[in-house]
Amino acid sequence: EPEVTQTPSHQVTQMGQEVILRCVPISNHLYFYWYRQILGQKVEFLVSFYNNEISEKSEIFDDQFSVERPDGSNFTLKIRSTKLEDSAMYFCASSAGTGGSGELFFGEGSRLTVL
Amino acid sequence: AQSVAQPEDQVNVAEGNPLTVKCTYSVSGNPYLFWYVQYPNRGLQFLLKYITGDNLVKGSYGFEAEFNKSQTSFHLKKPSALVSDSALYFCAVRDRGNFNKFYFGSGTKLNVKP
């Protein structure tokens, strides 16, 4: 069964360092998302990506964050200068272009720890 | 604006008893509605969705959900709970007019006791 894959599963970084989280969405999907979850609590929307551009972003997704789909298969989230409060589980998700009725498929997440 | 609410942080039920996890939504149209489950240290897994048609939707692992338009609710149910159902459950809503936004509720922790 097709699945969304994320790397790394866990990354530890120092405050102020750049981090890139990688995702490989399901191959025929058209909509891509990043969410984060702090301490197993609420799943917070960060950004959605469609047709090679950001389609929506939340207030969390400030200038420190960026996304790219560099090669038609990978979908990356970059945090330019990490802060302590960026420590969270980051989930990538994708969905098919089925008129919005398609569910999101999630990866297993990348745990980011900022020291 | 779309939003979704899960009024209970935690639901406790004995194994074999029916369970209900509540979800209500506020809409500017008729949304698509979803339920997801998350086990510890795992990603979110899709359970079921309401798109249109029959208000009772059946999904994975014996779960079902009832769409109630007048009460703007989409409660998750199961006739007989299992200990293995213990997990975090999220309701989600997607705007029919804007597929780019997919909102999650705050989550409900389900504890099923033997």
Side-chain angles (χ1 to χ4, degrees), chain A:
Chain A
E1 183 176 326
E3 59 181 19
V4 177
T5 57
Q6 290 187 241
T7 55
S9 57
H10 189 191
Q11 182 156 356
V12 181
T13 190
Q14 295 292 324
M15 191 170 57
Q17 295 296 305
E18 176 183 285
V19 162
I20 297 176
L21 305 178
R22 292 181 169 80
C23 170
V24 180
I26 294 173
S27 62
N28 61 344
H29 282 186
L30 300 179
Y31 296 88
F32 312 109
Y33 305 80
W34 282 101
Y35 289 83
R36 77 175 186 189
Q37 185 180 38
I38 297 174
L39 295 177
Q41 301 301 315
K42 187 172 183 176
V43 177
E44 299 177 300
F45 169 75
L46 293 178
V47 66
S48 60
F49 193 87
Y50 172 70
N51 201 25
N52 287 319
E53 61 183 17
I54 290 174
S55 43
E56 295 283 347
K57 60 183 181 179
S58 71
E59 59 275 8
I60 301 170
F61 195 88
D62 60 22
D63 292 344
Q64 296 297 318
F65 291 87
S66 62
V67 289
E68 267 192 331
R69 188 159 161 80
D71 55 12
S73 62
N74 292 284
F75 180 50
T76 62
L77 174 69
K78 181 190 292 186
I79 309 175
R80 188 156 55 91
S81 178
T82 50
K83 305 170 190 167
L84 295 176
E85 55 265 36
D86 293 328
S87 294
M89 183 72 96
Y90 289 81
F91 290 104
C92 174
S94 68
S95 74
T98 51
S101 62
E103 61 270 26
L104 266 59
F105 290 80
F106 283 81
E108 292 294 321
S110 292
R111 182 174 298 280
L112 176 64
T113 301
V114 182
L115 302 176

Side-chain angles (χ1 to χ4, degrees), chain A residues 31 33 35 37 40-43 45 48 50 55-56 89 91 95 99-108 111, chain B residues 32 34 36 38 41-46 49 51 88 90 94-96 98-107:
Chain A
Y31 296 88
Y33 305 80
Y35 289 83
Q37 185 180 38
Q41 301 301 315
K42 187 172 183 176
V43 177
F45 169 75
S48 60
Y50 172 70
S55 43
E56 295 283 347
M89 183 72 96
F91 290 104
S95 74
S101 62
E103 61 270 26
L104 266 59
F105 290 80
F106 283 81
E108 292 294 321
R111 182 174 298 280
Chain B
Y32 299 117
F34 303 80
Y36 283 80
Q38 185 182 32
N41 301 310
R42 302 295 303 277
L44 280 74
Q45 296 178 34
F46 169 73
K49 64 183 177 183
I51 305 301
L88 193 54
F90 291 95
R94 193 177 201 179
D95 190 341
R96 285 181 188 259
N98 182 353
F99 307 151
N100 299 302
K101 289 189 171 180
F102 200 102
Y103 297 101
F104 285 88
S106 55

